[in-house]
Coordinates of all heavy atoms in Angstrom, one line a residue:
G162 N 0.8 -1.2 0.0 CA 0.0 0.0 0.0 C 0.8 1.2 0.0 O 0.3 2.4 0.1
D163 N 2.2 1.2 -0.1 CA 3.0 2.4 -0.1 C 3.6 2.7 -1.5 O 4.6 3.4 -1.6 CB 4.1 2.2 0.9 CG 5.0 1.0 0.7 OD1 4.6 0.1 -0.2 OD2 6.0 0.9 1.3
G164 N 3.0 2.2 -2.5 CA 3.5 2.5 -3.8 C 3.3 3.9 -4.4 O 2.2 4.5 -4.1
V165 N 4.3 4.5 -5.1 CA 4.1 5.7 -5.6 C 4.7 5.8 -7.0 O 5.8 5.3 -7.3 CB 4.9 6.8 -4.8 CG1 4.9 8.2 -5.4 CG2 4.4 6.8 -3.3
L166 N 3.9 6.4 -7.9 CA 4.4 6.6 -9.3 C 4.7 8.1 -9.6 O 3.8 8.9 -9.2 CB 3.2 6.1 -10.3 CG 3.5 6.4 -11.8 CD1 4.5 5.3 -12.3 CD2 2.3 6.3 -12.5
R167 N 5.8 8.4 -10.2 CA 6.2 9.8 -10.4 C 6.1 10.0 -12.0 O 6.5 9.1 -12.7 CB 7.6 10.0 -10.0 CG 8.0 11.5 -10.2 CD 9.5 11.7 -9.7 NE 10.4 11.0 -10.5 CZ 11.1 11.6 -11.6 NH1 10.8 12.8 -11.9 NH2 12.0 10.9 -12.2
E168 N 5.5 11.1 -12.3 CA 5.3 11.5 -13.7 C 6.0 12.8 -14.0 O 5.6 13.9 -13.5 CB 3.8 11.7 -14.1 CG 3.6 11.8 -15.6 CD 2.1 11.7 -15.9 OE1 1.5 10.6 -16.0 OE2 1.5 12.8 -16.0
A169 N 7.2 12.7 -14.6 CA 8.1 13.9 -14.8 C 7.6 14.7 -16.0 O 6.8 14.3 -16.8 CB 9.5 13.5 -15.1
S170 N 8.0 16.0 -16.0 CA 7.6 16.9 -17.1 C 8.0 16.4 -18.5 O 7.4 16.8 -19.5 CB 8.1 18.3 -16.8 OG 9.5 18.3 -16.7
S171 N 9.1 15.6 -18.5 CA 9.6 15.1 -19.7 C 8.7 14.0 -20.3 O 8.9 13.5 -21.4 CB 11.1 14.6 -19.6 OG 11.0 13.5 -18.6
G172 N 7.8 13.5 -19.4 CA 7.0 12.4 -19.8 C 7.4 11.1 -19.3 O 6.7 10.0 -19.4
L173 N 8.5 11.0 -18.6 CA 9.0 9.8 -18.0 C 8.1 9.5 -16.8 O 7.8 10.3 -15.9 CB 10.4 10.0 -17.5 CG 11.0 8.9 -16.7 CD1 11.2 7.6 -17.7 CD2 12.3 9.2 -16.2
R174 N 7.6 8.3 -16.8 CA 6.8 7.7 -15.7 C 7.5 6.5 -15.1 O 7.8 5.6 -15.8 CB 5.4 7.4 -16.2 CG 4.7 8.5 -16.9 CD 3.5 8.1 -17.6 NE 2.4 7.7 -16.7 CZ 2.0 6.4 -16.8 NH1 2.5 5.6 -17.5 NH2 1.0 6.0 -16.0
E175 N 7.7 6.6 -13.8 CA 8.4 5.5 -13.1 C 7.9 5.3 -11.7 O 7.5 6.2 -11.0 CB 9.9 5.7 -13.1 CG 10.3 7.1 -12.5 CD 11.7 7.4 -12.6 OE1 12.5 6.6 -13.1 OE2 12.1 8.5 -12.1
V176 N 7.9 4.1 -11.2 CA 7.6 3.8 -9.8 C 8.8 4.1 -8.9 O 9.9 3.6 -9.1 CB 7.3 2.2 -9.7 CG1 7.0 1.9 -8.2 CG2 6.0 1.9 -10.5
V177 N 8.6 5.0 -8.0 CA 9.7 5.5 -7.2 C 9.6 4.9 -5.7 O 10.5 5.1 -4.8 CB 9.7 7.0 -7.1 CG1 10.1 7.5 -8.4 CG2 8.4 7.6 -6.6
A178 N 8.5 4.3 -5.4 CA 8.4 3.6 -4.1 C 7.3 2.4 -4.2 O 6.4 2.6 -5.0 CB 7.8 4.6 -3.0
P179 N 7.6 1.3 -3.5 CA 8.8 1.1 -2.7 C 10.1 1.1 -3.6 O 10.0 0.8 -4.8 CB 8.6 -0.3 -2.1 CG 7.1 -0.6 -2.3 CD 6.7 0.2 -3.5
L180 N 11.3 1.3 -2.9 CA 12.5 1.3 -3.6 C 12.8 0.1 -4.4 O 13.3 0.1 -5.6 CB 13.7 1.6 -2.7 CG 15.1 1.8 -3.3 CD1 15.0 3.1 -4.2 CD2 16.1 2.1 -2.2
A181 N 12.5 -1.0 -3.9 CA 12.8 -2.3 -4.6 C 11.9 -2.6 -5.8 O 12.2 -3.4 -6.6 CB 12.6 -3.5 -3.6
A182 N 10.9 -1.7 -6.0 CA 10.0 -1.8 -7.1 C 10.4 -0.9 -8.3 O 9.8 -1.0 -9.3 CB 8.5 -1.6 -6.7
Y183 N 11.4 -0.1 -8.0 CA 11.8 0.9 -9.0 C 12.2 0.3 -10.3 O 11.8 0.8 -11.4 CB 13.0 1.7 -8.4 CG 13.6 2.7 -9.4 CD1 12.9 3.9 -9.6 CD2 14.8 2.5 -10.0 CE1 13.5 4.9 -10.5 CE2 15.3 3.4 -10.9 CZ 14.7 4.6 -11.2 OH 15.2 5.5 -12.0
V184 N 12.9 -0.8 -10.3 CA 13.4 -1.5 -11.5 C 12.4 -2.5 -12.0 O 12.2 -2.7 -13.2 CB 14.8 -2.0 -11.3 CG1 15.2 -2.8 -12.6 CG2 15.8 -0.9 -11.0
S185 N 11.8 -3.2 -11.1 CA 11.1 -4.4 -11.3 C 9.7 -4.1 -11.9 O 9.1 -5.0 -12.5 CB 11.0 -5.4 -10.1 OG 10.4 -4.7 -9.1
V186 N 9.0 -2.9 -11.6 CA 7.7 -2.7 -11.9 C 7.7 -1.5 -13.0 O 8.2 -0.4 -12.8 CB 6.8 -2.2 -10.8 CG1 5.4 -1.9 -11.2 CG2 6.8 -3.4 -9.7
R187 N 7.2 -1.8 -14.2 CA 7.1 -0.8 -15.3 C 5.9 -0.1 -15.3 O 4.8 -0.5 -14.9 CB 7.3 -1.6 -16.6 CG 8.6 -2.3 -16.8 CD 8.7 -2.9 -18.1 NE 10.0 -3.6 -18.4 CZ 11.1 -3.1 -18.8 NH1 11.0 -1.7 -19.2 NH2 12.2 -3.7 -19.0
A188 N 6.0 1.2 -15.8 CA 4.8 2.0 -15.9 C 3.7 1.4 -16.8 O 2.5 1.6 -16.5 CB 5.2 3.4 -16.3
S189 N 4.1 0.7 -17.8 CA 3.2 0.1 -18.7 C 2.3 -0.9 -18.0 O 1.2 -1.2 -18.3 CB 3.9 -0.5 -20.0 OG 4.8 -1.4 -19.5
T190 N 3.0 -1.7 -17.1 CA 2.3 -2.7 -16.3 C 1.3 -2.0 -15.4 O 0.2 -2.5 -15.2 CB 3.3 -3.6 -15.5 OG1 4.3 -4.1 -16.3 CG2 2.6 -4.7 -14.8
I191 N 1.7 -0.9 -14.8 CA 0.8 -0.1 -14.0 C -0.5 0.2 -14.7 O -1.6 0.1 -14.3 CB 1.5 1.1 -13.4 CG1 2.6 0.7 -12.5 CG2 0.5 2.0 -12.7 CD1 2.3 0.0 -11.3
D192 N -0.3 0.8 -15.9 CA -1.4 1.2 -16.8 C -2.3 0.0 -17.1 O -3.5 0.1 -17.0 CB -0.8 1.8 -18.1 CG -0.1 3.1 -17.9 OD1 -0.4 3.8 -16.8 OD2 0.6 3.5 -18.7
A193 N -1.7 -1.1 -17.4 CA -2.5 -2.3 -17.7 C -3.4 -2.8 -16.5 O -4.6 -3.1 -16.7 CB -1.6 -3.5 -18.2
L194 N -2.8 -2.7 -15.4 CA -3.5 -3.1 -14.1 C -4.6 -2.1 -13.8 O -5.7 -2.4 -13.4 CB -2.6 -3.2 -12.9 CG -1.6 -4.3 -13.0 CD1 -0.6 -4.2 -11.9 CD2 -2.3 -5.6 -12.8
A195 N -4.4 -0.8 -14.0 CA -5.3 0.2 -13.7 C -6.5 0.1 -14.7 O -7.7 0.3 -14.3 CB -4.7 1.6 -13.8
S196 N -6.2 -0.2 -16.0 CA -7.3 -0.4 -17.0 C -8.2 -1.5 -16.7 O -9.4 -1.5 -17.2 CB -6.7 -0.5 -18.4 OG -6.0 -1.8 -18.5
R197 N -7.8 -2.5 -15.9 CA -8.6 -3.6 -15.5 C -9.2 -3.5 -14.1 O -9.7 -4.5 -13.5 CB -7.7 -4.9 -15.7 CG -7.1 -5.0 -17.0 CD -6.3 -6.3 -17.1 NE -6.9 -7.5 -17.2 CZ -6.4 -8.7 -17.1 NH1 -5.1 -8.9 -17.1 NH2 -7.1 -9.9 -17.2
D198 N -9.0 -2.3 -13.5 CA -9.5 -2.0 -12.2 C -8.9 -2.9 -11.1 O -9.5 -3.2 -10.1 CB -11.1 -2.2 -12.1 CG -11.8 -1.2 -13.0 OD1 -11.3 0.0 -13.2 OD2 -12.8 -1.5 -13.6
L199 N -7.6 -3.3 -11.3 CA -6.9 -4.1 -10.3 C -6.0 -3.2 -9.5 O -5.5 -3.6 -8.5 CB -6.0 -5.2 -11.0 CG -6.8 -6.1 -11.9 CD1 -5.9 -7.1 -12.6 CD2 -7.9 -6.9 -11.1
L200 N -5.8 -1.9 -9.9 CA -5.0 -1.0 -9.3 C -5.5 0.4 -9.5 O -6.0 0.8 -10.5 CB -3.5 -1.1 -9.9 CG -2.4 -0.3 -9.2 CD1 -2.0 -1.0 -7.9 CD2 -1.2 -0.2 -10.1
T201 N -5.4 1.3 -8.5 CA -5.9 2.7 -8.6 C -4.6 3.6 -8.5 O -3.7 3.3 -7.8 CB -6.9 3.1 -7.6 OG1 -6.3 2.9 -6.2 CG2 -8.1 2.2 -7.7
L202 N -4.7 4.7 -9.2 CA -3.7 5.8 -9.1 C -4.4 7.1 -8.6 O -5.4 7.5 -9.1 CB -3.1 6.1 -10.5 CG -2.1 5.1 -11.1 CD1 -2.9 3.9 -11.7 CD2 -1.3 5.8 -12.1
T203 N -4.0 7.6 -7.4 CA -4.5 8.7 -6.8 C -3.5 9.8 -6.7 O -2.5 9.6 -6.1 CB -5.0 8.3 -5.4 OG1 -6.0 7.3 -5.5 CG2 -5.8 9.5 -4.7
P204 N -3.7 11.1 -7.2 CA -2.8 12.2 -7.1 C -2.5 12.4 -5.6 O -3.4 12.5 -4.8 CB -3.5 13.4 -7.8 CG -4.6 12.7 -8.6 CD -5.0 11.4 -8.0
L205 N -1.2 12.6 -5.3 CA -0.9 13.0 -3.9 C -0.8 14.5 -3.8 O 0.0 15.2 -4.5 CB 0.5 12.4 -3.7 CG 0.6 10.9 -3.7 CD1 2.0 10.4 -3.5 CD2 -0.3 10.2 -2.8
P206 N -1.6 15.1 -3.0 CA -1.7 16.5 -2.9 C -0.4 17.2 -2.4 O -0.1 18.4 -2.8 CB -2.8 16.9 -1.8 CG -3.2 15.5 -1.3 CD -2.6 14.4 -2.1
T207 N 0.3 16.5 -1.7 CA 1.6 17.1 -1.1 C 2.8 16.8 -2.0 O 3.9 17.4 -1.7 CB 2.0 16.6 0.3 OG1 2.1 15.1 0.2 CG2 0.8 16.9 1.3
Q208 N 2.6 16.1 -3.1 CA 3.7 15.7 -4.0 C 3.2 16.0 -5.4 O 2.6 15.0 -6.0 CB 4.2 14.4 -3.7 CG 4.9 14.1 -2.4 CD 5.4 12.7 -2.3 OE1 4.6 11.8 -1.8 NE2 6.6 12.5 -2.6
P209 N 3.3 17.1 -6.0 CA 2.9 17.2 -7.4 C 3.5 16.2 -8.3 O 4.7 15.8 -8.2 CB 3.4 18.7 -7.8 CG 3.6 19.4 -6.4 CD 4.0 18.3 -5.5

């Protein structure tokens, strides 16, 4: 429950937390899971 996705102004999207997921989890996989309602993405108000 502590996962965080960062979306840079350059368009780069990457999982930045947990740290061990940085390399192993791709943004494209996140999108696929979200499209099937298996995962939700919620904007963090304190972290643009």
Side-chain angles (χ1 to χ4, degrees):
D163 57 348
V165 176
L166 177 76
R167 181 176 71 91
E168 190 171 277
S170 57
S171 62
L173 176 66
R174 301 168 68 245
E175 57 187 358
V176 176
V177 294
L180 184 60
Y183 176 74
V184 175
S185 60
V186 180
R187 297 180 178 274
S189 57
T190 305
I191 297 296
D192 292 338
L194 291 170
S196 69
R197 305 175 74 184
D198 296 326
L199 303 179
L200 188 74
T201 60
L202 287 79
T203 305
L205 299 178
T207 59
Q208 295 179 274

